[in-house]
Amino acid sequence: MGRAFEYRKAAKMKRWGHMAKTFTRLGKQIAIAVKAGGPDPDMNPALRSVIAVCKRENMPKDNIDRAIKNAQGKDQSNYETRTYEGYGPHGIAIFVDTLTDNPTRTVGDVRSVFNKFSGNMGTSGSLAFLFDHYCQFTFKKKEGMDMDDFILEAIEYGVNDEYDEEYDEEKDETTITIYGDPKSYSDIQRYLEDQGYEDVGGEFTYVPNDLKDVTEEQRASIDKMVERLEEFDDVQTVYTNMKPAED
């Protein structure tokens, strides 16, 4: 529904093609959640949320348990979030979300890709006007759930009126993804869990507010740049304002 659905669908399809990288990304998120709130999901809402995302991405339970255990080690690195932004080929805006224990290394890696593809990195916040920042939560839809009633109530907790609904034939279940104010992340998560929604997984995302048309040749060069950025372990997600290709 709307640009959020269009963009998220394209982004998710790309993530499915890089499963091993997805597990690395989620492992770092587990480490941050454990260090911030402890290893017990029942007592740590942030960890509980990351684990739900892990399950949705089919990350094996052994991998999840190992990541939690490793995060408790004394020698584990301390990660911090850094976002880099700029213009890639053909004037396409690019946001690069990273999780790094060495910002000097990470900015060097990201800058090298921008340079290779004749892009131009900007200062922090210079492209913020082109993207809307949201928190998003995905959870299983309840049988007989009335989405109009749900949204009307959830708005009081910071949820937007736009949502995505997706049916999984293999699992025979429907999932709902809602978007909201990043500052309302905790309130939204608490509301969903109090209402008994299953496997509530939350993340932060950027949604472009002005999608740009490109030719197939231009799309190919931008895709190559994005793929190169995604090869770095520090890179969590790459966002662009390039209009997704039609099916």
Side-chain angles (χ1 to χ4, degrees):
M1 301 181 65
R3 66 174 184 270
F5 174 76
E6 183 179 27
Y7 182 75
R8 177 176 171 270
K9 179 181 179 182
K12 186 170 69 172
M13 290 300 290
K14 183 173 288 296
R15 286 206 304 273
W16 284 348
H18 297 79
M19 190 63 72
K21 180 64 186 297
T22 297
F23 292 170
T24 300
R25 173 175 63 89
L26 292 172
K28 289 185 176 182
Q29 292 180 13
I30 287 174
I32 287 181
V34 169
K35 287 183 177 297
D40 185 355
D42 292 334
M43 303 297 294
N44 186 341
L47 177 59
R48 194 160 59 244
S49 179
V50 176
I51 290 175
V53 176
C54 291
K55 291 179 179 179
R56 192 169 70 244
E57 297 285 1
N58 297 316
M59 186 173 180
K61 184 178 183 302
D62 287 347
N63 292 42
I64 298 173
D65 293 341
R66 184 164 55 251
I68 293 174
K69 182 178 180 180
N70 290 341
Q72 300 174 69
K74 295 181 180 179
D75 297 329
Q76 290 302 304
S77 299
N78 291 316
Y79 295 109
E80 58 182 275
T81 300
R82 293 290 181 97
T83 300
Y84 304 99
E85 53 202 270
Y87 287 99
H90 318 295
I92 294 298
I94 297 178
F95 250 59
V96 186
D97 259 356
T98 70
L99 206 52
T100 177
D101 59 352
N102 187 334
T104 301
R105 176 192 66 219
T106 304
V107 70
D109 289 341
V110 172
R111 190 181 303 280
S112 69
V113 176
F114 271 88
N115 291 340
K116 180 178 180 179
F117 287 86
S118 302
N120 181 32
M121 281 185 64
T123 57
S124 179
S126 61
L127 271 63
F129 69 99
L130 292 174
F131 292 83
D132 296 321
H133 190 202
Y134 295 121
C135 62
Q136 66 177 45
F137 289 88
T138 300
F139 52 91
K140 295 179 183 178
K141 184 179 182 181
K142 292 182 179 180
E143 186 175 351
M145 181 180 180
D146 187 305
M147 288 305 301
D148 290 337
D149 290 343
F150 168 81
I151 291 296
L152 187 62
E153 182 174 346
I155 283 176
E156 298 181 11
Y157 297 88
V159 174
N160 297 346
D161 60 3
E162 185 178 62
Y163 65 90
D164 304 335
E165 186 169 339
E166 185 175 354
Y167 177 68
D168 187 324
E169 293 185 5
E170 185 175 337
K171 296 182 179 179
D172 189 25
E173 66 181 28
T174 298
T175 58
I176 301 295
T177 297
I178 57 174
Y179 303 85
D181 184 340
K183 297 179 181 178
S184 300
Y185 183 99
S186 297
D187 292 337
I188 297 172
Q189 181 183 10
R190 189 178 305 111
Y191 166 73
L192 293 172
E193 292 184 340
D194 287 347
Q195 295 299 313
Y197 291 98
E198 296 182 38
D199 294 335
V200 177
E203 298 179 285
F204 294 95
T205 188
Y206 289 91
V207 176
N209 54 46
D210 182 23
L211 293 170
K212 293 192 63 173
D213 284 311
V214 294
T215 66
E216 288 305 308
E217 183 179 357
Q218 291 171 338
R219 183 183 304 283
S221 66
I222 297 163
D223 282 343
K224 286 181 180 179
M225 179 177 179
V226 171
E227 289 171 3
R228 182 67 187 91
L229 287 166
E230 288 178 334
E231 291 177 3
F232 297 120
D233 287 340
D234 293 338
V235 172
Q236 294 282 285
T237 314
V238 180
Y239 305 93
T240 81
N241 68 340
M242 177 174 62
K243 188 174 183 179
E246 296 183 3
D247 295 333

